[in-house]
PDB file of all heavy atoms in Angstrom:
ATOM      1  N   ASN A 419    -156.246-149.961-112.183  1.00  0.00           N
ATOM      2  CA  ASN A 419    -157.392-150.237-113.031  1.00  0.00           C
ATOM      3  C   ASN A 419    -157.024-151.225-114.192  1.00  0.00           C
ATOM      4  O   ASN A 419    -155.861-151.576-114.343  1.00  0.00           O
ATOM      5  CB  ASN A 419    -158.029-148.990-113.626  1.00  0.00           C
ATOM      6  CG  ASN A 419    -157.059-148.234-114.499  1.00  0.00           C
ATOM      7  OD1 ASN A 419    -156.224-148.825-115.209  1.00  0.00           O
ATOM      8  ND2 ASN A 419    -157.191-146.904-114.418  1.00  0.00           N
ATOM      9  N   ARG A 420    -158.046-151.758-114.861  1.00  0.00           N
ATOM     10  CA  ARG A 420    -157.878-152.763-115.854  1.00  0.00           C
ATOM     11  C   ARG A 420    -156.902-152.368-116.974  1.00  0.00           C
ATOM     12  O   ARG A 420    -156.073-153.126-117.381  1.00  0.00           O
ATOM     13  CB  ARG A 420    -159.202-153.178-116.431  1.00  0.00           C
ATOM     14  CG  ARG A 420    -159.180-154.380-117.385  1.00  0.00           C
ATOM     15  CD  ARG A 420    -158.818-155.678-116.690  1.00  0.00           C
ATOM     16  NE  ARG A 420    -159.114-156.798-117.495  1.00  0.00           N
ATOM     17  CZ  ARG A 420    -160.139-157.592-117.260  1.00  0.00           C
ATOM     18  NH1 ARG A 420    -160.969-157.362-116.198  1.00  0.00           N
ATOM     19  NH2 ARG A 420    -160.389-158.618-117.965  1.00  0.00           N
ATOM     20  N   GLU A 421    -157.077-151.102-117.402  1.00  0.00           N
ATOM     21  CA  GLU A 421    -156.247-150.617-118.546  1.00  0.00           C
ATOM     22  C   GLU A 421    -154.747-150.620-118.131  1.00  0.00           C
ATOM     23  O   GLU A 421    -153.891-150.994-118.875  1.00  0.00           O
ATOM     24  CB  GLU A 421    -156.660-149.280-118.928  1.00  0.00           C
ATOM     25  CG  GLU A 421    -157.988-149.118-119.670  1.00  0.00           C
ATOM     26  CD  GLU A 421    -159.132-149.394-118.696  1.00  0.00           C
ATOM     27  OE1 GLU A 421    -158.974-149.230-117.474  1.00  0.00           O
ATOM     28  OE2 GLU A 421    -160.256-149.751-119.225  1.00  0.00           O
ATOM     29  N   CYS A 422    -154.492-150.180-116.917  1.00  0.00           N
ATOM     30  CA  CYS A 422    -153.093-150.190-116.409  1.00  0.00           C
ATOM     31  C   CYS A 422    -152.498-151.586-116.276  1.00  0.00           C
ATOM     32  O   CYS A 422    -151.346-151.808-116.685  1.00  0.00           O
ATOM     33  CB  CYS A 422    -152.924-149.431-115.085  1.00  0.00           C
ATOM     34  SG  CYS A 422    -153.265-147.657-115.230  1.00  0.00           S
ATOM     35  N   LEU A 423    -153.291-152.475-115.802  1.00  0.00           N
ATOM     36  CA  LEU A 423    -152.821-153.853-115.646  1.00  0.00           C
ATOM     37  C   LEU A 423    -152.556-154.499-116.995  1.00  0.00           C
ATOM     38  O   LEU A 423    -151.563-155.211-117.216  1.00  0.00           O
ATOM     39  CB  LEU A 423    -153.836-154.670-114.850  1.00  0.00           C
ATOM     40  CG  LEU A 423    -153.958-154.320-113.369  1.00  0.00           C
ATOM     41  CD1 LEU A 423    -155.099-155.107-112.726  1.00  0.00           C
ATOM     42  CD2 LEU A 423    -152.630-154.649-112.641  1.00  0.00           C
ATOM     43  N   LEU A 424    -153.450-154.245-117.924  1.00  0.00           N
ATOM     44  CA  LEU A 424    -153.205-154.775-119.284  1.00  0.00           C
ATOM     45  C   LEU A 424    -151.945-154.194-119.890  1.00  0.00           C
ATOM     46  O   LEU A 424    -151.174-154.957-120.538  1.00  0.00           O
ATOM     47  CB  LEU A 424    -154.365-154.400-120.236  1.00  0.00           C
ATOM     48  CG  LEU A 424    -155.641-155.275-120.099  1.00  0.00           C
ATOM     49  CD1 LEU A 424    -156.773-154.650-120.848  1.00  0.00           C
ATOM     50  CD2 LEU A 424    -155.389-156.740-120.515  1.00  0.00           C
ATOM     51  N   HIS A 425    -151.685-152.960-119.622  1.00  0.00           N
ATOM     52  CA  HIS A 425    -150.438-152.318-120.135  1.00  0.00           C
ATOM     53  C   HIS A 425    -149.237-152.981-119.499  1.00  0.00           C
ATOM     54  O   HIS A 425    -148.224-153.220-120.179  1.00  0.00           O
ATOM     55  CB  HIS A 425    -150.480-150.822-119.871  1.00  0.00           C
ATOM     56  CG  HIS A 425    -149.339-150.096-120.472  1.00  0.00           C
ATOM     57  ND1 HIS A 425    -149.169-149.950-121.840  1.00  0.00           N
ATOM     58  CD2 HIS A 425    -148.277-149.428-119.848  1.00  0.00           C
ATOM     59  CE1 HIS A 425    -148.002-149.274-122.088  1.00  0.00           C
ATOM     60  NE2 HIS A 425    -147.542-148.943-120.895  1.00  0.00           N
ATOM     61  N   LEU A 426    -149.229-153.205-118.212  1.00  0.00           N
ATOM     62  CA  LEU A 426    -148.159-153.858-117.482  1.00  0.00           C
ATOM     63  C   LEU A 426    -147.921-155.315-118.002  1.00  0.00           C
ATOM     64  O   LEU A 426    -146.789-155.734-118.288  1.00  0.00           O
ATOM     65  CB  LEU A 426    -148.400-153.860-116.040  1.00  0.00           C
ATOM     66  CG  LEU A 426    -148.314-152.507-115.307  1.00  0.00           C
ATOM     67  CD1 LEU A 426    -148.733-152.652-113.822  1.00  0.00           C
ATOM     68  CD2 LEU A 426    -146.939-151.921-115.403  1.00  0.00           C
ATOM     69  N   PHE A 427    -148.996-156.033-118.180  1.00  0.00           N
ATOM     70  CA  PHE A 427    -148.922-157.361-118.693  1.00  0.00           C
ATOM     71  C   PHE A 427    -148.296-157.436-120.122  1.00  0.00           C
ATOM     72  O   PHE A 427    -147.640-158.435-120.441  1.00  0.00           O
ATOM     73  CB  PHE A 427    -150.285-158.080-118.688  1.00  0.00           C
ATOM     74  CG  PHE A 427    -150.576-158.882-117.449  1.00  0.00           C
ATOM     75  CD1 PHE A 427    -150.982-158.193-116.276  1.00  0.00           C
ATOM     76  CD2 PHE A 427    -150.545-160.256-117.459  1.00  0.00           C
ATOM     77  CE1 PHE A 427    -151.230-158.987-115.189  1.00  0.00           C
ATOM     78  CE2 PHE A 427    -150.857-160.975-116.352  1.00  0.00           C
ATOM     79  CZ  PHE A 427    -151.206-160.370-115.197  1.00  0.00           C
ATOM     80  N   SER A 428    -148.546-156.495-120.872  1.00  0.00           N
ATOM     81  CA  SER A 428    -148.058-156.439-122.246  1.00  0.00           C
ATOM     82  C   SER A 428    -146.558-156.443-122.358  1.00  0.00           C
ATOM     83  O   SER A 428    -145.948-156.801-123.367  1.00  0.00           O
ATOM     84  CB  SER A 428    -148.628-155.248-122.969  1.00  0.00           C
ATOM     85  OG  SER A 428    -148.057-154.029-122.502  1.00  0.00           O
ATOM     86  N   PHE A 429    -145.895-156.054-121.259  1.00  0.00           N
ATOM     87  CA  PHE A 429    -144.357-156.012-121.288  1.00  0.00           C
ATOM     88  C   PHE A 429    -143.796-157.424-120.856  1.00  0.00           C
ATOM     89  O   PHE A 429    -142.586-157.561-120.933  1.00  0.00           O
ATOM     90  CB  PHE A 429    -143.846-154.920-120.315  1.00  0.00           C
ATOM     91  CG  PHE A 429    -144.115-153.529-120.823  1.00  0.00           C
ATOM     92  CD1 PHE A 429    -145.219-152.824-120.313  1.00  0.00           C
ATOM     93  CD2 PHE A 429    -143.316-152.959-121.759  1.00  0.00           C
ATOM     94  CE1 PHE A 429    -145.452-151.539-120.781  1.00  0.00           C
ATOM     95  CE2 PHE A 429    -143.544-151.664-122.210  1.00  0.00           C
ATOM     96  CZ  PHE A 429    -144.600-150.950-121.753  1.00  0.00           C
ATOM     97  N   LEU A 430    -144.597-158.306-120.439  1.00  0.00           N
ATOM     98  CA  LEU A 430    -144.122-159.576-119.903  1.00  0.00           C
ATOM     99  C   LEU A 430    -144.175-160.642-120.966  1.00  0.00           C
ATOM    100  O   LEU A 430    -144.990-160.589-121.875  1.00  0.00           O
ATOM    101  CB  LEU A 430    -144.971-160.028-118.712  1.00  0.00           C
ATOM    102  CG  LEU A 430    -145.037-159.028-117.520  1.00  0.00           C
ATOM    103  CD1 LEU A 430    -146.006-159.572-116.494  1.00  0.00           C
ATOM    104  CD2 LEU A 430    -143.673-158.778-116.946  1.00  0.00           C
ATOM    105  N   ASP A 431    -143.282-161.632-120.861  1.00  0.00           N
ATOM    106  CA  ASP A 431    -143.309-162.766-121.745  1.00  0.00           C
ATOM    107  C   ASP A 431    -144.442-163.726-121.290  1.00  0.00           C
ATOM    108  O   ASP A 431    -145.094-163.462-120.233  1.00  0.00           O
ATOM    109  CB  ASP A 431    -142.011-163.484-121.847  1.00  0.00           C
ATOM    110  CG  ASP A 431    -141.517-164.047-120.534  1.00  0.00           C
ATOM    111  OD1 ASP A 431    -142.385-164.367-119.628  1.00  0.00           O
ATOM    112  OD2 ASP A 431    -140.315-164.151-120.304  1.00  0.00           O
ATOM    113  N   LYS A 432    -144.698-164.709-122.068  1.00  0.00           N
ATOM    114  CA  LYS A 432    -145.857-165.611-121.766  1.00  0.00           C
ATOM    115  C   LYS A 432    -145.791-166.226-120.435  1.00  0.00           C
ATOM    116  O   LYS A 432    -146.706-166.385-119.675  1.00  0.00           O
ATOM    117  CB  LYS A 432    -145.998-166.672-122.958  1.00  0.00           C
ATOM    118  CG  LYS A 432    -146.316-166.084-124.265  1.00  0.00           C
ATOM    119  CD  LYS A 432    -146.648-167.086-125.309  1.00  0.00           C
ATOM    120  CE  LYS A 432    -145.443-167.965-125.687  1.00  0.00           C
ATOM    121  NZ  LYS A 432    -144.441-167.120-126.454  1.00  0.00           N
ATOM    122  N   ASN A 433    -144.560-166.794-120.086  1.00  0.00           N
ATOM    123  CA  ASN A 433    -144.415-167.450-118.784  1.00  0.00           C
ATOM    124  C   ASN A 433    -144.617-166.552-117.662  1.00  0.00           C
ATOM    125  O   ASN A 433    -145.251-166.883-116.604  1.00  0.00           O
ATOM    126  CB  ASN A 433    -143.034-168.095-118.706  1.00  0.00           C
ATOM    127  CG  ASN A 433    -142.847-169.349-119.457  1.00  0.00           C
ATOM    128  OD1 ASN A 433    -143.847-170.086-119.691  1.00  0.00           O
ATOM    129  ND2 ASN A 433    -141.684-169.677-119.958  1.00  0.00           N
ATOM    130  N   SER A 434    -144.108-165.324-117.714  1.00  0.00           N
ATOM    131  CA  SER A 434    -144.247-164.358-116.655  1.00  0.00           C
ATOM    132  C   SER A 434    -145.702-163.926-116.498  1.00  0.00           C
ATOM    133  O   SER A 434    -146.228-163.773-115.352  1.00  0.00           O
ATOM    134  CB  SER A 434    -143.398-163.110-116.984  1.00  0.00           C
ATOM    135  OG  SER A 434    -142.036-163.403-117.015  1.00  0.00           O
ATOM    136  N   ARG A 435    -146.383-163.789-117.587  1.00  0.00           N
ATOM    137  CA  ARG A 435    -147.871-163.518-117.476  1.00  0.00           C
ATOM    138  C   ARG A 435    -148.592-164.599-116.773  1.00  0.00           C
ATOM    139  O   ARG A 435    -149.440-164.324-115.898  1.00  0.00           O
ATOM    140  CB  ARG A 435    -148.415-163.327-118.929  1.00  0.00           C
ATOM    141  CG  ARG A 435    -147.943-162.048-119.693  1.00  0.00           C
ATOM    142  CD  ARG A 435    -148.528-162.055-121.088  1.00  0.00           C
ATOM    143  NE  ARG A 435    -148.073-160.971-121.873  1.00  0.00           N
ATOM    144  CZ  ARG A 435    -148.422-160.708-123.136  1.00  0.00           C
ATOM    145  NH1 ARG A 435    -149.336-161.492-123.750  1.00  0.00           N
ATOM    146  NH2 ARG A 435    -147.952-159.662-123.744  1.00  0.00           N
ATOM    147  N   ARG A 436    -148.273-165.819-117.166  1.00  0.00           N
ATOM    148  CA  ARG A 436    -148.992-166.924-116.501  1.00  0.00           C
ATOM    149  C   ARG A 436    -148.714-167.059-115.055  1.00  0.00           C
ATOM    150  O   ARG A 436    -149.555-167.263-114.226  1.00  0.00           O
ATOM    151  CB  ARG A 436    -148.525-168.247-117.227  1.00  0.00           C
ATOM    152  CG  ARG A 436    -149.351-169.511-116.751  1.00  0.00           C
ATOM    153  CD  ARG A 436    -150.821-169.350-116.959  1.00  0.00           C
ATOM    154  NE  ARG A 436    -151.591-170.517-116.497  1.00  0.00           N
ATOM    155  CZ  ARG A 436    -152.856-170.498-116.389  1.00  0.00           C
ATOM    156  NH1 ARG A 436    -153.588-169.514-116.702  1.00  0.00           N
ATOM    157  NH2 ARG A 436    -153.463-171.624-115.919  1.00  0.00           N
ATOM    158  N   ASN A 437    -147.413-166.875-114.667  1.00  0.00           N
ATOM    159  CA  ASN A 437    -147.054-166.948-113.263  1.00  0.00           C
ATOM    160  C   ASN A 437    -147.655-165.831-112.403  1.00  0.00           C
ATOM    161  O   ASN A 437    -148.093-166.076-111.318  1.00  0.00           O
ATOM    162  CB  ASN A 437    -145.530-166.839-113.109  1.00  0.00           C
ATOM    163  CG  ASN A 437    -144.733-168.072-113.667  1.00  0.00           C
ATOM    164  OD1 ASN A 437    -145.387-169.139-113.702  1.00  0.00           O
ATOM    165  ND2 ASN A 437    -143.553-167.933-114.099  1.00  0.00           N
ATOM    166  N   LEU A 438    -147.739-164.676-112.970  1.00  0.00           N
ATOM    167  CA  LEU A 438    -148.364-163.548-112.267  1.00  0.00           C
ATOM    168  C   LEU A 438    -149.938-163.804-112.153  1.00  0.00           C
ATOM    169  O   LEU A 438    -150.473-163.504-111.166  1.00  0.00           O
ATOM    170  CB  LEU A 438    -148.139-162.263-113.006  1.00  0.00           C
ATOM    171  CG  LEU A 438    -148.543-160.969-112.307  1.00  0.00           C
ATOM    172  CD1 LEU A 438    -147.918-160.881-110.971  1.00  0.00           C
ATOM    173  CD2 LEU A 438    -148.212-159.771-113.200  1.00  0.00           C
ATOM    174  N   ALA A 439    -150.486-164.463-113.174  1.00  0.00           N
ATOM    175  CA  ALA A 439    -151.952-164.700-113.099  1.00  0.00           C
ATOM    176  C   ALA A 439    -152.311-165.692-112.047  1.00  0.00           C
ATOM    177  O   ALA A 439    -153.423-165.694-111.610  1.00  0.00           O
ATOM    178  CB  ALA A 439    -152.398-165.224-114.477  1.00  0.00           C
ATOM    179  N   LYS A 440    -151.361-166.521-111.630  1.00  0.00           N
ATOM    180  CA  LYS A 440    -151.646-167.515-110.617  1.00  0.00           C
ATOM    181  C   LYS A 440    -151.724-166.879-109.200  1.00  0.00           C
ATOM    182  O   LYS A 440    -152.072-167.668-108.251  1.00  0.00           O
ATOM    183  CB  LYS A 440    -150.568-168.623-110.620  1.00  0.00           C
ATOM    184  CG  LYS A 440    -150.655-169.446-111.898  1.00  0.00           C
ATOM    185  CD  LYS A 440    -149.468-170.475-111.885  1.00  0.00           C
ATOM    186  CE  LYS A 440    -149.592-171.308-113.116  1.00  0.00           C
ATOM    187  NZ  LYS A 440    -148.404-172.408-113.067  1.00  0.00           N
ATOM    188  N   THR A 441    -151.401-165.650-109.049  1.00  0.00           N
ATOM    189  CA  THR A 441    -151.405-165.109-107.689  1.00  0.00           C
ATOM    190  C   THR A 441    -152.665-164.682-107.220  1.00  0.00           C
ATOM    191  O   THR A 441    -152.893-164.633-105.927  1.00  0.00           O
ATOM    192  CB  THR A 441    -150.392-163.839-107.662  1.00  0.00           C
ATOM    193  OG1 THR A 441    -150.853-162.869-108.630  1.00  0.00           O
ATOM    194  CG2 THR A 441    -148.963-164.318-108.079  1.00  0.00           C
ATOM    195  N   CYS A 442    -153.603-164.274-108.097  1.00  0.00           N
ATOM    196  CA  CYS A 442    -154.952-163.842-107.574  1.00  0.00           C
ATOM    197  C   CYS A 442    -155.967-163.895-108.748  1.00  0.00           C
ATOM    198  O   CYS A 442    -155.574-163.834-109.905  1.00  0.00           O
ATOM    199  CB  CYS A 442    -154.885-162.455-106.919  1.00  0.00           C
ATOM    200  SG  CYS A 442    -154.651-161.113-108.056  1.00  0.00           S
TER     201      CYS A 442
END
Side-chain angles (χ1 to χ4, degrees):
N419 60 35
R420 186 63 165 258
E421 289 74 18
C422 289
L423 289 173
L424 281 171
H425 186 65
L426 289 175
F427 265 77
S428 68
F429 290 98
L430 304 176
D431 60 30
K432 296 188 290 293
N433 282 332
S434 298
R435 291 177 182 181
R436 185 60 179 171
N437 291 334
L438 187 58
K440 292 179 179 180
T441 59
C442 71

